[in-house]
Amino acid sequence: MKEMRRNIRILGILLLCCFIGTGGWFGYTVYSQGSRWMMNSSNTRLNEAKSKVDMGSITDVNGVVLAYTDSEGNRQYNEDKYTRRAMSQTVGDTMGMSGTGVEVFHSGTLLGFSGNLVDRVWQWLKGETYKGENIRLTVDSQLSRYISRAFPDGKRGAVVVMNYKTGEIMSMVSKPDYDPNNLSNRSSSETEDTAYLNRVLQGQYAPGSVMKIVTTAAALENINGITRRTFTCDGEAIFGDGKVTDAGNAVHGEIDLMTAFKKSCNITYAGITYELGLDKLLKTAEQMGFNDNFSFRDIILYESSLPEDTTEVSELVWSGVGQGRVLVTPLHMCMIAGSVANGGNMMEPQLIDAITGVGGIERFRTSTGVYRRAMSEETAQVIKQYMAETVLSGTATAAQIEGYTVCGKTGSAETSDDKSVETNAWFVGFIDDEEHPYCVAVVVEQGGSGGRVAAPLAKKALQKAIELNS
């Protein structure tokens, strides 16, 4: 009998542990994946609520109203068309054309599903239509509008500015954009189908030479004495069945690693990649978030990839210089640059600053969190120096800002095998300043040279961010 009681007690404890574990898992999943469940098209409760609830407002970090529900229950957007368009993919729209927008991804909050019972009872007693919660974003609409208008006319691409100490997204601009007030004209020639795509989060691009940040980190952490070695660039090099050349058929001669970085020498970096091998390059890249299924609470970020099945030598070495099948999103590239600035710590991106309920009572406030340790502090310090030299006297001099140390890397990513199409212009970098810890990523599709096109735009974005936060 005693043994039976003991067994029953053990079984009860096991069942209790299973119950607690299941409850904990469910709670964590709702916390981390709730927005993804809520935005599912098969969620009938969501569609029903939209007809009965006045959705809460969306404001920028300074309180500028970006979206609200008027007295007649209609959804309205900022009265300034340039602000509406600059914020279109970030805020979203009533029809969910931008699937990653706050209107869709955080619809559960805006409809009050996560609100408390007191709010509901209070509004019921007052005979009011139930109102959802209000969301204040981390983005600055004035900065976004400025960047949007500074973007090269007629070009597609993306710009994202982030605080590398906190992870707060200060601006994300995607081109082309659209006007959420004119969705009835979405099939017209004025609005491109791809305008609803948020290229900051969903654009998967060949990184070109900005990938050399990753390759440099791999070299520093795996090849002893790499900073003391010299390399020879004769203008071309053969690896396997492929040939590697530099932009403009440049010949750099005898150079060290820092010079190879700031002059963006493909031949040197192809050789370093060959010496590293796929496993070491892949390990470093995945340490920085490549091939990860990002599951951030505030945003949907598409995966960046470095293929694990690379077998050809020619593809391997081109991967190290950001070509081949390597793909990256602008926000992820911004996070990588930010991790260099932040001593190797990569912060989780934050888009929600605060959530408030009835009477302006704050229910939630964003908290800073480290996504992962992307590299050692020693490695980050060396790469920071290289990026500073690149802006001072390398390919990114157009990103210089008087009175500040700007660190960066340019890239010109090929998008066709025969070079018949202009390269995508890249710049990623940051301000090395405690008062203004801002990092940026810029990609201009078919923009040409990263140094001539992307770097000046990054300079404008960072300068405006400084001006608005001084």
Side-chain angles (χ1 to χ4, degrees):
M1 181 63 76
K2 288 183 179 180
E3 185 175 349
M4 181 181 294
R5 287 176 181 170
R6 186 175 63 85
N7 291 338
I8 291 173
R9 192 178 300 115
I10 292 172
L11 180 61
I13 292 171
L14 289 173
L15 289 173
L16 180 61
C17 290
C18 289
F19 178 79
I20 293 172
T22 302
W25 173 85
F26 180 76
Y28 169 77
T29 305
V30 169
Y31 175 80
S32 61
Q33 303 294 325
S35 294
R36 288 169 171 78
W37 292 355
M38 189 61 67
M39 66 182 286
N40 193 296
S41 59
S42 61
N43 188 346
T44 55
R45 187 184 174 203
L46 178 65
N47 296 325
E48 182 183 353
K50 285 182 178 179
S51 64
K52 298 179 179 179
V53 179
D54 285 349
M55 294 181 75
S57 64
I58 302 171
T59 62
D60 80 348
V61 70
N62 298 310
V64 175
V65 177
L66 304 174
Y68 67 99
T69 302
D70 65 18
S71 59
E72 297 180 356
N74 299 313
R75 200 66 171 159
Q76 303 291 345
Y77 298 91
N78 189 279
E79 61 183 14
D80 178 71
K81 70 174 182 178
Y82 296 110
T83 300
R84 285 199 306 272
R85 297 189 73 101
M87 300 296 300
S88 56
Q89 299 95 344
T90 301
V91 172
D93 55 81
T94 55
M95 298 182 67
M97 298 301 294
S98 180
T100 60
V102 174
E103 292 272 60
V104 173
F105 191 56
H106 293 283
S107 56
T109 298
L110 293 168
L111 289 166
F113 285 167
S114 54
N116 60 57
L117 184 60
V118 174
D119 286 350
R120 289 179 179 269
V121 172
W122 179 250
Q123 292 180 60
W124 177 76
L125 288 173
K126 293 177 67 176
E128 296 178 345
T129 301
Y130 184 64
K131 294 178 175 60
E133 295 178 295
N134 304 316
I135 295 177
R136 182 170 70 240
L137 305 179
T138 59
V139 294
D140 185 329
S141 60
Q142 189 175 348
L143 176 61
S144 296
R145 171 182 161 147
Y146 173 83
I147 293 171
S148 177
R149 302 200 72 182
F151 203 89
D153 288 340
K155 292 293 186 182
R156 302 179 179 89
V159 181
V160 56
V161 181
M162 190 173 77
N163 184 314
Y164 58 75
K165 292 288 187 185
T166 66
E168 293 169 312
I169 298 172
M170 302 169 66
S171 175
M172 55 179 174
V173 171
S174 178
K175 289 289 190 173
D177 52 31
Y178 69 100
D179 190 342
N181 272 357
N182 294 318
L183 289 179
S184 59
N185 297 324
R186 65 185 183 277
S187 61
S188 72
S189 58
E190 295 179 6
T191 303
E192 295 186 35
D193 287 341
T194 61
Y196 307 111
L197 181 79
N198 188 336
R199 285 167 161 79
V200 172
L201 307 176
Q202 299 170 285
Q204 294 168 307
Y205 297 95
S209 289
V210 295
M211 182 68 180
K212 288 170 185 169
I213 296 173
V214 180
T215 308
T216 301
L220 291 170
E221 296 185 349
N222 289 284
I223 303 176
N224 292 331
I226 188 74
T227 58
R228 298 188 298 274
R229 282 170 52 179
T230 57
F231 306 89
T232 302
C233 170
D234 292 327
E236 67 175 47
I238 304 298
F239 292 92
D241 58 357
K243 181 172 68 173
V244 176
T245 58
D246 275 303
N249 295 314
V251 178
H252 299 119
E254 295 290 320
I255 54 176
D256 60 10
L257 183 62
M258 182 172 72
T259 305
F261 185 93
K262 75 176 187 178
K263 291 188 176 182
S264 206
C265 180
N266 289 344
I267 292 168
T268 297
Y269 271 87
I272 289 171
T273 305
Y274 180 76
E275 185 174 347
L276 281 168
L278 178 62
D279 290 345
K280 290 177 181 176
L281 179 64
L282 187 63
K283 181 180 179 181
T284 299
E286 290 185 340
Q287 192 173 314
M288 294 187 184
F290 279 82
N291 301 330
D292 190 13
N293 181 20
F294 297 114
S295 56
F296 301 131
R297 196 164 62 90
D298 286 0
I299 57 171
I300 296 174
L301 179 60
Y302 281 27
E303 181 181 297
S304 296
S305 58
L306 175 62
E308 301 175 5
D309 61 348
T310 301
T311 56
E312 297 294 328
V313 171
S314 58
E315 183 181 5
L316 168 64
V317 297
W318 275 116
S319 295
V321 295
Q323 295 290 167
R325 292 182 290 157
V326 183
L327 296 174
V328 68
T329 62
L331 178 56
H332 185 205
M333 208 62 238
C334 188
M335 291 162 60
I336 290 172
S339 70
V340 175
N342 200 32
N345 282 330
M346 182 181 287
M347 306 306 292
E348 179 174 340
Q350 308 284 342
L351 182 62
I352 306 300
D353 182 47
I355 297 172
T356 57
V358 175
I361 299 173
E362 195 171 282
R363 185 181 66 78
F364 168 84
R365 187 72 181 227
T366 191
S367 58
T368 298
V370 176
Y371 164 55
R372 61 172 63 213
R373 164 63 75 169
M375 64 191 78
S376 70
E377 188 171 355
E378 293 76 17
T379 296
Q381 280 299 119
V382 174
I383 297 176
K384 180 191 289 189
Q385 179 190 357
Y386 289 7
M387 293 175 74
E389 287 293 329
T390 302
V391 174
L392 185 64
S393 60
T395 60
T397 55
Q400 293 176 8
I401 299 175
E402 186 177 354
Y404 293 91
T405 299
V406 179
C407 306
K409 183 73 190 77
T410 59
S412 302
E414 298 286 353
T415 57
S416 64
D417 293 335
D418 59 0
K419 299 188 178 183
S420 60
V421 179
E422 278 276 29
T423 56
N424 288 344
W426 273 97
F427 177 90
V428 301
F430 55 89
I431 305 170
D432 187 16
D433 185 88
E434 286 293 323
E435 297 297 317
H436 303 287
Y438 312 142
C439 54
V440 65
V442 175
V443 60
V444 180
E445 295 179 22
Q446 297 180 27
S449 165
R452 288 195 301 269
V453 177
L457 182 54
K459 172 183 177 177
K460 290 179 180 179
L462 291 174
Q463 272 187 318
K464 191 66 175 180
I466 293 170
E467 175 189 324
L468 292 172
N469 292 275
S470 294

